[in-house]
């Protein structure tokens, strides 16, 4: 009996050790889901043609899903478009968004971000410090991709509310797009005003190789603030639609 108990202790210890070794690097697949109907309702409230919107809604699903990969270790991460899925072509009119082709490289050691972004055919190369968000950790806990996650809330662009669920079991302070700064990996991110969520649906705990981290190089070099000012000037005549386009751009 003692031998059996001793063997179980060894197995449990080995399992914990293996987890500790693999939670410092890996690959996360995020599903980005956009509520298209909610976006269309906003456009209707701004004075759109209700009849036209109703016809479109009858031809498309409520949600649009796209996939992104985050490859990481303790020193760096890279977020980029993932696997492609077939979908309704009409969804591109509403669900794509300027952030569809974003590539974000984060150097944790140097506290720097390099992000390649395309805004209506114009390419930008954002080079800046890692974004700082004044996160407030809440009591809510949920399980995402088999990881225990804690809730945190924050603000971007002065007024845009962001909800994150992060896990302390992956000891890298990263997440989708340019989000991070929590005591662990962000496994789910929600921006209600964009009707959009990013949710980790698969985690491969394997060590990346150097070629995984191809740093973006093309585009007009700007800081995060300069990008914000540039797109705000570009969308100044878009009325109420301007804010949503700006938020998408500076994610």
């Amino acid at each position: 009996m003692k031998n059996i108990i001793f063997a179980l202790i060894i197995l449990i210890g080995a399992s914990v050790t293996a987890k500790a070794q693999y939670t410092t690097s890996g690959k996360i697949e995020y599903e980005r889901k956009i509520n298209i109907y909610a976006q269309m309702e906003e456009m209707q409230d701004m004075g759109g043609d209700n009849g036209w919107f109703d016809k479109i809604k009858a031809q498309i699903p409520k949600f649009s899903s796209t996939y992104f990969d985050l490859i990481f270790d303790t020193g760096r991460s890279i977020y980029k478009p993932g696997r492609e899925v077939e979908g309704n072509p009409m969804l591109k009119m509403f669900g794509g968004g300027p952030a569809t082709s974003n590539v974000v490289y984060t150097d944790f050691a140097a506290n720097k971000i390099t992000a390649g972004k395309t805004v209506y055919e114009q390419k930008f190369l954002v080079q800046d410090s890692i974004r700082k968000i004044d996160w407030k950790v809440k009591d809510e806990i949920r399980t995402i991709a088999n990881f225990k996650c804690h809730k945190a809330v924050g603000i971007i662009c002065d007024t845009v509310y962001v909800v994150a669920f992060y896990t302390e079991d992956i000891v890298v302070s990263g997440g989708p797009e340019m989000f991070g700064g929590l005591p662990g990996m962000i496994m789910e991110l929600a921006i209600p005003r964009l009707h959009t969520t990013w949710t980790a649906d698969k985690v491969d705990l394997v060590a990346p190789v150097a070629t995984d981290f191809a740093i973006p190089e093309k585009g007009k070099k700007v800081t995060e603030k300069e990008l914000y000012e540039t797109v705000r000037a570009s969308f100044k005549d878009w009325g109420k639609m301007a804010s949503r386009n700006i938020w998408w751009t500076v994610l």
Side-chain angles (χ1 to χ4, degrees), residues 28 30 32 67-71 77-81 99-106 175-178 198 216:
I28 301 174
Y30 292 95
R32 187 183 75 178
Y67 293 88
F68 297 83
D69 294 331
L70 180 72
I71 300 171
S77 71
I78 189 161
Y79 170 88
K80 55 188 175 182
T100 301
S101 60
N102 282 3
V103 177
V104 181
Y105 175 81
T106 304
E177 296 288 352
M178 292 166 57
W198 290 255

Side-chain angles (χ1 to χ4, degrees), residues 155-218:
I155 300 290
I156 62 170
C157 299
D158 297 326
T159 62
V160 180
Y161 188 70
V162 179
V163 181
F165 282 86
Y166 69 94
T167 179
E168 296 176 343
D169 293 331
I170 300 179
V171 290
V172 176
S173 183
E177 296 288 352
M178 292 166 57
F179 290 91
L182 284 163
M185 181 64 72
I186 296 175
M187 302 297 280
E188 183 170 281
L189 183 78
I191 304 180
R193 290 173 74 174
L194 289 178
H195 310 293
T196 303
T197 59
W198 290 255
T199 304
D201 62 3
K202 185 169 63 174
V203 181
D204 294 325
L205 299 178
V206 294
V209 296
T211 53
D212 289 328
F213 298 101
I215 303 174
E217 297 179 344
K218 297 181 179 180

Side-chain angles (χ1 to χ4, degrees), residues 21-236:
Q21 290 175 343
Y22 286 107
T23 52
T24 58
S25 63
K27 174 183 175 181
I28 301 174
E29 179 183 76
Y30 292 95
E31 178 187 13
R32 187 183 75 178
K33 185 178 286 188
I34 303 172
N35 187 330
I36 307 303
Y37 286 9
Q39 288 191 346
M40 294 175 67
E41 287 166 5
E42 277 191 357
M43 295 172 70
Q44 285 178 303
D45 292 340
M46 294 175 190
D49 184 338
N50 290 349
W52 182 81
F53 283 123
D54 289 339
K55 290 179 180 178
I56 295 296
K57 286 173 69 174
Q59 302 177 54
I60 62 175
K62 183 176 181 179
F63 294 97
S64 167
S65 290
T66 49
Y67 293 88
F68 297 83
D69 294 331
L70 180 72
I71 300 171
F72 65 92
D73 59 26
T74 55
R76 55 191 173 172
S77 71
I78 189 161
Y79 170 88
K80 55 188 175 182
R83 62 186 172 96
E84 294 185 4
V85 294
E86 292 185 8
N88 190 314
M90 296 192 71
L91 284 174
K92 293 182 180 180
M93 297 195 311
F94 302 99
T100 301
S101 60
N102 282 3
V103 177
V104 181
Y105 175 81
T106 304
D107 185 332
F108 298 114
N111 193 41
K112 298 292 183 182
I113 276 183
T114 303
K117 302 191 176 192
T118 302
V119 185
Y120 293 103
E121 308 304 325
Q122 185 172 3
K123 294 183 181 298
F124 293 92
L125 187 66
V126 182
Q127 297 176 318
D128 213 327
S129 300
I130 293 175
R131 173 190 289 160
K132 293 183 179 179
I133 295 177
D134 185 19
W135 293 107
K136 306 295 184 185
V137 177
K138 303 296 183 180
D139 292 333
E140 185 177 345
I141 293 174
R142 66 175 59 170
T143 300
I144 301 169
N146 295 320
F147 285 86
K148 179 182 177 181
C149 297
H150 302 266
K151 182 178 180 179
V153 298
I155 300 290
I156 62 170
C157 299
D158 297 326
T159 62
V160 180
Y161 188 70
V162 179
V163 181
F165 282 86
Y166 69 94
T167 179
E168 296 176 343
D169 293 331
I170 300 179
V171 290
V172 176
S173 183
E177 296 288 352
M178 292 166 57
F179 290 91
L182 284 163
M185 181 64 72
I186 296 175
M187 302 297 280
E188 183 170 281
L189 183 78
I191 304 180
R193 290 173 74 174
L194 289 178
H195 310 293
T196 303
T197 59
W198 290 255
T199 304
D201 62 3
K202 185 169 63 174
V203 181
D204 294 325
L205 299 178
V206 294
V209 296
T211 53
D212 289 328
F213 298 101
I215 303 174
E217 297 179 344
K218 297 181 179 180
K220 179 182 178 182
K221 294 181 179 180
V222 292
T223 63
E224 187 177 356
K225 182 179 180 181
E226 289 170 343
L227 176 63
Y228 176 83
E229 296 296 338
T230 298
V231 296
R232 188 174 69 170
S234 299
F235 294 133
K236 65 180 181 181

